[in-house]
Structure formats: structure tokens, C-alpha cells
């Protein structure tokens, strides 16, 4: 029995459908994904798709109404949220035992498995697949782009924690020692070696990367502005794809959580989404009624 539902002006929830599916990780774990799309989409595929992920600190990213995905979904895109290890959606073990310290690579491998599932099932294709993550989710973006750049058309990395080794090796940075509880203490060789294996900045390779949009804030106390800046510089140097671009949007007035003014925040989301829609060939597509 429904007790209460928020009324959203001009929104008809009956036009949308959602479902839950599972991708199989390399070690056999079943990784859940929530999929949202319009009910009135024509049959067939593949379709443009946005795959979102976070997967750190045991944080649960639960399915729920998000108005900011409507510009995608109303233009015929499929929106997917992956509940990968490192988050807490499947219980505490999903984080404590299988998604931090010396099992952190599961986070990246789970997300890659989710992308592969969407492609294998004909839901989308590499040239139609966008991906997005912020903060530790930005680290996720850096990791999966180093491992499987061929799976994606464009990636949006917001305030990305990408220079893992340098930041975690500098205890003079205010948040560093507390973060050892998440990633490990690099003064111990086993953690140093393991962290080095996935640190996005340290694993940039000479391969063809897709288009990448990086956003950052000059006053960010959690992810210092130089991390995304130096990552972008290295990507531009190493990228062998002459057709793709590495774009950086550095906001000189904000910190880690972007603009506090809601209208400015919406303008920032509109900027990010306009880039994604352009790269997926949807810039001139009008939203469905």
C-alpha cells in the first residue's frame, strides 16, 4: 500500500520502467544493476546508455527518483546504476571483505563486467556507452578507462581522486592518514604495491582513450585541484586516439561538492549532459513528451 508519493510537476511516472539485472564478475560474484528507461522506446537496440558507479566507503547508492537523469532518459537513453563492490548495497561484506584494501580491484572489475553485460545483451554498444562517477567514483572512472578504454564512448569524471599514490604517501595533507583506513597505508609494501596496480594516474598508458570530461574545484579540500589537472595532462600526452578529447572544467569558486546554489548546480549538470549528448549523437534530439 502506497503511503505517500512526491508530486513532480509535468512528470508522468507511468511513462518509465525499471528493472534489476545481474552481471557476473570475473570471480563469479553476481553484481546488481538498476536499469531505467522509457516504456515507449521502440523495440530493438542497441541504444545510447549512461552507466553510473561509485563503489567505495561502504556507501549504499540505492535506486530512487533522480530528476537529473530525465534529460537522458527522455531522449531515448537507458540509464544504469551499478552496485559494485566497495559499496554497501549487498551487505557489509560487499565492502569490508571484497571492496577495500587488498580487494579494491574488485570495484573496477565489477564495473567492467557490468559494461560488458550491457553490450553482450544488446542494450548498448561501445560507441553508445557513456559512464560517470564522482570523487571515489572518479577514481573508478580512471581505473576502468586504463583497463578497458575500448568499452566506452565518453566518460565524465567529477572531482576524481586519481593520484592515489602521491596523495596517500603525503601525511601532511589533512585527510591522508584517515584515508589509509580505506585504501591502505602505502608505508607497508603490500599496500603500496597493490595501490600502485590500480592508481589511475600511475597507470595511464599509450592506448586510444575515449572522450573524457573532467570537472574539478579549485577549493576542494578532499581532492586537490592538481590531481585532475595532472591526470588530464598525462592523458593528453599518452592518448593515441587522435579523434578524442580530454576536457577539463576547473571551477575557481567551488570545492568538492560543486555549487551550493541549486540553479548554478543545474547549469553545471546541463553543461556535463550537453557534452555527453553531443558525443552520443543526441545533441539535436528533442525530449519525448
Amino acid at each position: 500500500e502506497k503511503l505517500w508519493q512526491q508530486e513532480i510537476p509535468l512528470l508522468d511516472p507511468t511513462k518509465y520502467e525499471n528493472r534489476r539485472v545481474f552481471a557476473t564478475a570475473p570471480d563469479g560474484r553476481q553484481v546488481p544493476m538498476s536499469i531505467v528507461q522509457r516504456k515507449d522506446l521502440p523495440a530493438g537496440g542497441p541504444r545510447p546508455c549512461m552507466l553510473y558507479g561509485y563503489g567505495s566507503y561502504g556507501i549504499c547508492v540505492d535506486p530512487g527518483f533522480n530528476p537529473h537523469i530525465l534529460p537522458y532518459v527522455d531522449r531515448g537513453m537507458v540509464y544504469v546504476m551499478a552496485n559494485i563492490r566497495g559499496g554497501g548495497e549487498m551487505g557489509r561484506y560487499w565492502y569490508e571483505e571484497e571492496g577495500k584494501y587488498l580487494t579494491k580491484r574488485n570495484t573496477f572489475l565489477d564495473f567492467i563486467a557490468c559494461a560488458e553485460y550491457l553490450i553482450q545483451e544488446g542494450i548498448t554498444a561501445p560507441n553508445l556507452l557513456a559512464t560517470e562517477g564522482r570523487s571515489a567514483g572518479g577514481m573508478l572512472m580512471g581505473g576502468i578507462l586504463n583497463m578497458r578504454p575500448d568499452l566506452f564512448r565518453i566518460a565524465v569524471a567529477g572531482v576524481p581522486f586519481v593520484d592515489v599514490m602521491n596523495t596517500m604517501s603525503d601525511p601532511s595533507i589533512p585527510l591522508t592518514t584517515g584515508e589509509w583506513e580505506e585504501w591502505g597505508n602505502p608505508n607497508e609494501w603490500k599496500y603500496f604495491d597493490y595501490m600502485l596496480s590500480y592508481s589511475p594516474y600511475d597507470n595511464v598508458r599509450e592506448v586510444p582513450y575515449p572522450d573524457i570530461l573532467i570537472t574539478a574545484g579549485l577549493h576542494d579540500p578532499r581532492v586537490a585541484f592538481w590531481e585532475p589537472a595532472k591526470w588530464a595532462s598525462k592523458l593528453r600526452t599518452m592518448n593515441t586516439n587522435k579523434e578524442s578529447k580530454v576536457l577539463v572544467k576547473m571551477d575557481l569558486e567551488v570545492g568538492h561538492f560543486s555549487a551550493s546554489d541549486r540553479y548554478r548546480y543545474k547549469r553545471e549538470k546541463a553543461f556535463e549532459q550537453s557534452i555527453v549528448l553531443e558525443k552520443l549523437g543526441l545533441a539535436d534530439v528533442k525530449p519525448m513528451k
Side-chain angles (χ1 to χ4, degrees):
E1 181 181 355
K2 181 170 66 176
L3 298 178
W4 178 82
Q5 179 175 329
Q6 181 182 4
E7 295 295 331
I8 308 296
L10 306 179
L11 175 70
D12 182 0
T14 64
K15 293 181 179 180
Y16 306 90
E17 62 183 1
N18 64 84
R19 64 186 188 275
R20 197 184 199 202
V21 298
F22 291 83
T24 302
D27 63 354
R29 284 291 188 201
Q30 296 296 293
V31 182
M33 291 182 284
S34 297
I35 300 178
V36 181
Q37 64 185 59
R38 294 274 301 213
K39 288 182 179 179
D40 52 357
L41 287 180
R47 301 188 183 284
C49 177
M50 170 60 79
L51 176 60
Y52 171 83
Y54 185 74
S56 288
Y57 301 105
I59 293 175
C60 296
V61 185
D62 297 318
F65 176 71
N66 180 359
H68 297 119
I69 74 171
L70 294 178
Y72 289 144
V73 178
D74 285 343
R75 286 176 170 82
M77 288 182 63
V78 178
Y79 190 88
V80 184
M81 184 169 63
N83 296 136
I84 52 181
R85 280 176 284 186
E89 295 89 351
M90 299 297 286
R92 194 64 180 173
Y93 82 97
W94 203 244
Y95 164 61
E96 290 283 0
E97 299 179 21
E98 300 192 358
K100 65 182 291 191
Y101 287 150
L102 301 179
T103 58
K104 188 58 191 174
R105 287 177 65 90
N106 286 336
T107 301
F108 309 104
L109 298 176
D110 285 1
F111 198 79
I112 290 170
C114 290
E116 290 176 333
Y117 174 94
L118 296 172
I119 294 169
Q120 292 166 2
E121 292 297 313
I123 297 172
T124 189
N127 66 318
L128 297 173
L129 181 55
T131 185
E132 180 179 15
R134 295 189 83 257
S135 192
M139 181 189 69
L140 170 68
M141 295 297 102
I144 56 104
L145 290 174
N146 287 335
M147 295 176 182
R148 291 297 306 275
D150 57 301
L151 289 177
F152 306 97
R153 177 64 181 85
I154 179 171
V156 180
V159 290
F161 174 46
V162 287
D163 192 10
V164 177
M165 297 310 300
N166 282 315
T167 298
M168 289 296 97
S169 297
D170 186 356
S172 70
I173 299 175
L175 298 180
T176 290
T177 54
E179 290 291 302
W180 289 348
E181 292 297 316
E182 180 72 17
W183 321 107
N185 184 345
N187 292 304
E188 299 181 43
W189 72 265
K190 63 179 181 179
Y191 293 120
F192 182 97
D193 186 63
Y194 191 81
M195 293 160 65
L196 187 60
S197 74
Y198 66 77
S199 173
Y201 176 78
D202 296 286
N203 287 281
V204 174
R205 301 178 291 145
E206 286 190 352
V207 295
Y209 285 93
D211 287 288
I212 303 172
L213 171 61
I214 303 167
T215 64
L218 181 63
H219 303 287
D220 190 336
R222 300 192 180 200
V223 178
F225 70 89
W226 56 78
E227 288 198 37
K230 64 190 291 189
W231 181 47
S233 178
K234 191 172 184 179
L235 283 168
R236 289 169 176 171
T237 301
M238 304 289 280
N239 184 17
T240 62
N241 184 354
K242 303 304 180 183
E243 303 299 320
S244 66
K245 296 181 179 179
V246 178
L247 304 176
V248 181
K249 181 176 181 288
M250 182 72 68
D251 194 314
L252 304 183
E253 297 180 355
V254 304
H256 192 68
F257 294 101
S258 187
S260 58
D261 179 291
R262 65 172 177 166
Y263 294 108
R264 181 175 175 180
Y265 177 77
K266 290 181 182 298
R267 288 195 296 269
E268 290 181 359
K269 292 300 294 183
F271 171 81
E272 296 171 12
Q273 292 177 347
S274 68
I275 299 295
V276 172
L277 292 172
E278 178 189 8
K279 297 304 180 181
L280 296 181
L282 300 174
D284 297 323
V285 175
K286 302 296 184 182
M288 293 182 280
K289 300 293 187 179

